[in-house]
Short mmCIF file of all heavy atoms in Angstrom, two decimals:
data_model
loop_
_atom_site.label_atom_id
_atom_site.label_comp_id
_atom_site.label_asym_id
_atom_site.label_seq_id
_atom_site.Cartn_x
_atom_site.Cartn_y
_atom_site.Cartn_z
N ASP A 69 6.05 9.81 -20.85
CA ASP A 69 7.51 9.67 -20.80
C ASP A 69 8.13 11.02 -21.14
O ASP A 69 8.69 11.22 -22.22
CB ASP A 69 7.96 8.59 -21.78
CG ASP A 69 9.42 8.24 -21.62
OD1 ASP A 69 10.00 8.61 -20.58
OD2 ASP A 69 9.98 7.61 -22.53
N ALA A 83 7.18 4.94 -3.27
CA ALA A 83 5.88 5.08 -2.62
C ALA A 83 4.79 4.29 -3.33
O ALA A 83 3.71 4.12 -2.79
CB ALA A 83 5.48 6.55 -2.54
N ARG A 123 -7.80 4.97 -22.86
CA ARG A 123 -6.89 4.02 -22.23
C ARG A 123 -7.20 3.89 -20.74
O ARG A 123 -7.19 2.78 -20.17
CB ARG A 123 -5.43 4.46 -22.40
CG ARG A 123 -4.96 4.59 -23.83
CD ARG A 123 -5.06 3.28 -24.61
NE ARG A 123 -4.48 2.16 -23.91
CZ ARG A 123 -3.16 1.94 -23.73
NH1 ARG A 123 -2.28 2.81 -24.22
NH2 ARG A 123 -2.73 0.88 -23.09
N LEU A 136 -11.76 12.52 -12.04
CA LEU A 136 -11.04 13.50 -12.85
C LEU A 136 -10.94 14.83 -12.11
O LEU A 136 -11.92 15.31 -11.55
CB LEU A 136 -11.74 13.73 -14.18
CG LEU A 136 -11.87 12.56 -15.15
CD1 LEU A 136 -12.56 13.01 -16.44
CD2 LEU A 136 -10.51 11.97 -15.49
N PRO A 171 7.21 24.13 -14.65
CA PRO A 171 5.85 23.74 -15.05
C PRO A 171 5.83 22.87 -16.30
O PRO A 171 6.78 22.88 -17.09
CB PRO A 171 5.20 25.10 -15.35
CG PRO A 171 6.34 25.91 -15.89
CD PRO A 171 7.57 25.48 -15.12
N LEU A 190 -20.83 10.80 -22.47
CA LEU A 190 -22.04 10.38 -23.17
C LEU A 190 -21.72 9.41 -24.30
O LEU A 190 -22.37 8.37 -24.45
CB LEU A 190 -22.76 11.61 -23.72
CG LEU A 190 -24.04 11.35 -24.51
CD1 LEU A 190 -25.09 10.72 -23.61
CD2 LEU A 190 -24.57 12.64 -25.13
N ARG A 205 -6.22 28.55 -6.90
CA ARG A 205 -5.11 29.50 -6.93
C ARG A 205 -4.55 29.71 -5.52
O ARG A 205 -5.30 30.03 -4.59
CB ARG A 205 -5.60 30.84 -7.48
CG ARG A 205 -4.51 31.90 -7.63
CD ARG A 205 -5.04 33.10 -8.37
NE ARG A 205 -6.22 33.68 -7.75
CZ ARG A 205 -7.40 33.79 -8.34
NH1 ARG A 205 -7.57 33.36 -9.57
NH2 ARG A 205 -8.43 34.34 -7.72
N ILE A 242 -16.95 9.78 -12.12
CA ILE A 242 -17.57 9.09 -13.26
C ILE A 242 -17.53 7.58 -13.01
O ILE A 242 -16.49 7.05 -12.60
CB ILE A 242 -16.83 9.44 -14.57
CG1 ILE A 242 -16.87 10.96 -14.81
CG2 ILE A 242 -17.44 8.68 -15.75
CD1 ILE A 242 -16.06 11.41 -16.02
#
Side-chain angles (χ1 to χ4, degrees):
D69 189 15
R123 300 300 311 287
L136 297 182
L190 179 64
R205 183 171 56 240
I242 301 175

